[in-house]
């Protein structure tokens, strides 16, 4: 059981917008630690999608955006494409565990 | 090209030990915190351990604490993870990951992973 809670799955049709939530607590996201997001395509290596809550690494399309408020964060994907079908993970730091933590992951299905 | 290449995985019996290696190329390892992250079959990502740039600080997830040692050799541009007293639940793909300098805690470079299977 991860200290960062994500929905197990979300889905959307091509072109639609989906959001993936990441709910934490006062010892991680709520303690103002940054949230990062990763895309893990089938049979591929995890890829950094969003860092520092809202920033995109070079090469990541602006269809992907991150936000953070209070003890939660969200990843939004607009203009959904078939190749977006993947597992998505949020990640932060927890000061009661004193280490990095990942969310349980969310499987995105493009209908 | 910036790369991380893991090695050392394999089939191990419960109670056995393994030493995983991660070779870095295309960048100078000594400038970065490094981590090991694993993914058990059908499960999500789990952070396992990390080590500071100069090796002076090391952290572990509770499930491997006391059984695991992370180390680095900045001359050889390599990071290592040794796990002893392996358990079936240690079965996973183990990834080596580089922590960015600009966003602490974010992993911008990942290796392809090495599979560890603990089974009798």
């Amino acid at each position: 059981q991860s200290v960062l809670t994500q929905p197990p799955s979300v889905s959307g049709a091509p072109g639609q917008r989906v959001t993936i939530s990441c709910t934490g607590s006062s010892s991680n996201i709520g303690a103002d630690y940054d949230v990062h997001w990763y895309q893990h395509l089938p049979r591929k290596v995890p890829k950094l999608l969003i860092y520092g809550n809202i920033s995109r690494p070079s090469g990541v399309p602006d269809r992907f955006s991150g936000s953070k408020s209070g003890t939660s964060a969200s990843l939004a994907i607009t203009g959904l494409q078939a190749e977006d079908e993947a597992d998505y993970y949020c990640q932060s730091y927890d000061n009661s565990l004193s280490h990095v933590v990942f969310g349980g992951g969310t499987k995105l299905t493009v209908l | 090209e910036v790369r991380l290449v893991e090695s050392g995985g394999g089939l191990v019996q419960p109670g056995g030990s393994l030493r995983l290696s991660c070779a870095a190329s295309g960048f100078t390892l000594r400038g970065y915190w490094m981590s090991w992250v694993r993914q058990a079959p059908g499960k999500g990502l789990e952070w396992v351990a990390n080590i500071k740039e100069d090796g002076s600080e090391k952290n572990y997830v509770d499930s491997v604490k006391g059984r695991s040692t992370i180390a680095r050799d900045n001359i050889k541009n390599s990071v290592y993870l040794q796990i002893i007293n392996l358990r079936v639940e240690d079965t996973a793909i183990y990834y080596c990951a580089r922590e960015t300098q600009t966003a602490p805690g974010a992993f911008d470079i990942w290796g392809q992973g090495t599979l560890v299977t603990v089974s009798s």
Side-chain angles (χ1 to χ4, degrees):
Chain A
Q1 193 83 2
S2 176
V3 297
L4 302 180
T5 301
Q6 298 180 233
S9 64
V10 297
S11 62
Q16 284 189 331
R17 177 181 187 270
V18 295
T19 61
I20 298 173
S21 61
C22 176
T23 303
S25 68
S26 58
S27 62
N28 41 70
I29 299 175
D32 207 27
Y33 292 107
D34 282 345
V35 178
H36 318 297
W37 290 90
Y38 300 86
Q39 178 189 60
H40 195 183
L41 293 164
R43 295 172 297 282
K44 297 286 189 180
V45 171
K47 172 187 173 183
L48 181 63
L49 208 57
I50 297 288
Y51 66 92
N53 308 311
I54 61 172
S55 301
R56 281 186 309 276
S58 173
V60 173
D62 60 6
R63 301 187 297 106
F64 296 89
S65 63
S67 63
K68 174 186 162 185
S69 178
T71 58
S72 295
S74 288
L75 173 71
I77 309 172
T78 59
L80 209 54
Q81 299 179 3
E83 56 261 38
D84 297 334
E85 194 160 279
D87 294 324
Y88 292 83
Y89 295 88
C90 61
Q91 177 226 322
S92 187
Y93 180 86
D94 189 282
N95 60 24
S96 64
L97 296 174
S98 299
H99 62 66
V100 168
V101 289
F102 283 97
T106 297
K107 182 176 182 58
L108 169 63
T109 300
V110 181
L111 302 171
Chain B
E1 182 192 1
V2 174
R3 282 185 79 193
L4 294 170
V5 179
E6 301 94 336
S7 60
L11 175 63
V12 188
Q13 290 192 336
S17 64
L18 264 184
R19 186 188 191 224
L20 307 179
S21 299
C22 170
S25 60
F27 69 100
T28 303
L29 191 72
R30 67 173 178 267
Y32 298 87
W33 278 79
M34 297 295 294
S35 277
W36 287 93
V37 177
R38 67 184 179 184
Q39 184 174 33
K43 303 292 185 182
L45 300 175
E46 178 185 38
W47 175 86
V48 176
N50 67 359
I51 184 167
K52 195 175 179 180
E53 296 98 325
D54 61 0
S56 62
E57 184 177 339
K58 305 173 185 181
N59 302 288
Y60 302 90
V61 70
D62 283 351
S63 58
V64 304
K65 201 174 289 184
R67 301 189 294 124
S68 185
T69 303
I70 188 171
R72 65 192 296 158
D73 185 332
N74 288 337
I75 303 297
K76 294 182 177 179
N77 242 24
S78 293
V79 181
Y80 309 95
L81 180 70
Q82 181 172 28
I83 309 179
I84 64 172
N85 194 17
L86 280 158
R87 305 166 180 169
V88 171
E89 53 266 35
D90 293 319
T91 295
I93 298 173
Y94 285 73
Y95 297 100
C96 173
R98 186 183 84 170
E99 187 172 322
T100 70
Q101 293 177 326
T102 52
F107 304 123
D108 62 345
I109 304 295
W110 296 66
Q112 85 288 350
T114 187
L115 177 62
V116 172
T117 303
V118 184
S119 174
S120 54

